[in-house]
Amino acid sequence: MLSPFDLPEDICLLITDELPSPADFALCQCLVSHIKEKQNSSLRVVLSVSESLTRWQSILAKSNVNLSQQIATKTFHFIDITPMALVQTDTDTDKVHGNPFHALYEQISSILEEGNREQSPGALVVLDDISSLEWIGFSTSDLLRLCRALRNQATLIIRHHIVTPGELDPLFRHLNSLCTYHLDIQPLNSGRSGDVSGQVNREALQYRLTDGTAIFFERGSSRGVL
């Protein structure tokens, strides 16, 4: 069974999840796949709201990925976009442009431009938690402006939390229109079991989490699953 993350380059992937089935593993698997496929020939940039660099290093180490080495070779960049970090990078330029993410975008753009001179095309940008940015007060229009700008520069992966299953919030509707692909990580209707951790895109595919990765299979094909 192919992984649902075997997708082409230069796309925008929306990953949605719910509280009982967080998509942390999906973000990490996308990043691991890109690193192992591209090695040191392309850039990875993680815009992190939810997790520290130490946490990312710990998780990816389980897949034999040494982020410290990636950072040393400048093929991996970690940018903290928690509210405190964004306040510290707030500039008069942001106020002039009327965009709270202007300085952040300029920082990312500079990294990507430098990387394109030194590495091959095919950079990856991961925004690990756009929902939290909305919850703390950033407007939908500002968030979408940032996503559109990033989409034009690299393969972009965005994670959005579904708070109430079945109810599509405005930010999700806009992101779903913006993105090329959508992966919906959901809990099982019957609850998590030892053989199945959750499902992707409404039961079309199920997965089981292991210590370092996720195993995907068609519904009902896992041992012990009816």
Side-chain angles (χ1 to χ4, degrees):
M1 171 66 67
L2 288 175
S3 163
F5 310 114
D6 292 328
L7 298 170
E9 294 181 359
D10 299 323
I11 55 97
C12 182
L13 170 64
L14 173 63
I15 299 178
T16 52
D17 62 6
E18 301 172 22
L19 185 60
S21 56
D24 299 27
F25 76 93
L27 297 176
C28 290
Q29 192 140 335
C30 288
L31 189 55
V32 168
S33 297
H34 191 271
I35 290 173
K36 292 188 174 180
E37 178 183 347
K38 298 289 187 178
Q39 298 294 323
N40 291 332
S41 65
S42 192
L43 278 177
R44 274 72 60 172
V45 180
V46 169
L47 311 177
S48 186
V49 183
S50 301
E51 303 290 354
S52 66
L53 175 58
T54 301
R55 175 65 173 159
W56 279 91
Q57 289 173 316
S58 174
I59 295 174
L60 267 66
K62 295 178 181 179
S63 298
N64 298 317
V65 172
N66 187 333
L67 273 191
S68 296
Q69 186 178 55
Q70 297 283 322
I71 293 170
T73 58
K74 297 184 178 181
T75 54
F76 177 85
H77 295 262
F78 179 88
I79 302 178
D80 180 2
I81 57 170
T82 56
M84 182 68 71
L86 286 174
V87 168
Q88 291 172 349
T89 58
D90 187 25
T91 65
D92 291 336
T93 305
D94 289 337
K95 296 180 177 65
V96 169
H97 286 267
N99 181 352
F101 298 114
H102 180 77
L104 173 64
Y105 175 72
E106 289 295 311
Q107 179 185 2
I108 299 166
S109 184
S110 176
I111 290 171
L112 294 175
E113 287 176 8
E114 181 180 351
N116 286 336
R117 290 194 297 268
E118 299 179 3
Q119 281 100 18
S120 302
L124 172 68
V125 175
V126 177
L127 175 52
D128 77 345
D129 188 354
I130 195 171
S131 306
S132 289
L133 292 175
E134 182 188 35
W135 295 339
I136 62 176
F138 290 103
S139 70
T140 298
S141 59
D142 284 334
L143 292 169
L144 291 172
R145 188 181 298 120
L146 174 64
C147 290
R148 289 192 188 99
L150 293 175
R151 184 188 180 188
N152 292 331
Q153 297 239 25
T155 296
L156 176 62
I157 298 175
I158 305 166
R159 194 248 296 260
H160 176 61
H161 301 304
I162 301 296
V163 177
T164 306
E167 293 185 12
L168 305 181
D169 59 89
L171 180 57
F172 167 80
R173 294 178 187 276
H174 287 294
L175 290 172
N176 198 39
S177 296
L178 174 70
C179 293
T180 321
Y181 297 96
H182 174 211
L183 287 180
D184 189 17
I185 309 297
Q186 302 172 318
L188 293 174
N189 295 329
S190 58
R192 186 170 175 171
S193 72
D195 292 301
V196 184
S197 302
Q199 57 196 15
V200 180
N201 291 2
R202 302 194 181 282
E203 302 184 2
L205 201 61
Q206 295 181 329
Y207 65 89
R208 179 171 62 253
L209 296 179
T210 66
D211 187 47
T213 187
I215 300 170
F216 297 91
F217 43 84
E218 293 179 352
R219 182 187 180 193
S221 62
S222 174
R223 180 177 57 83
V225 179
L226 298 178

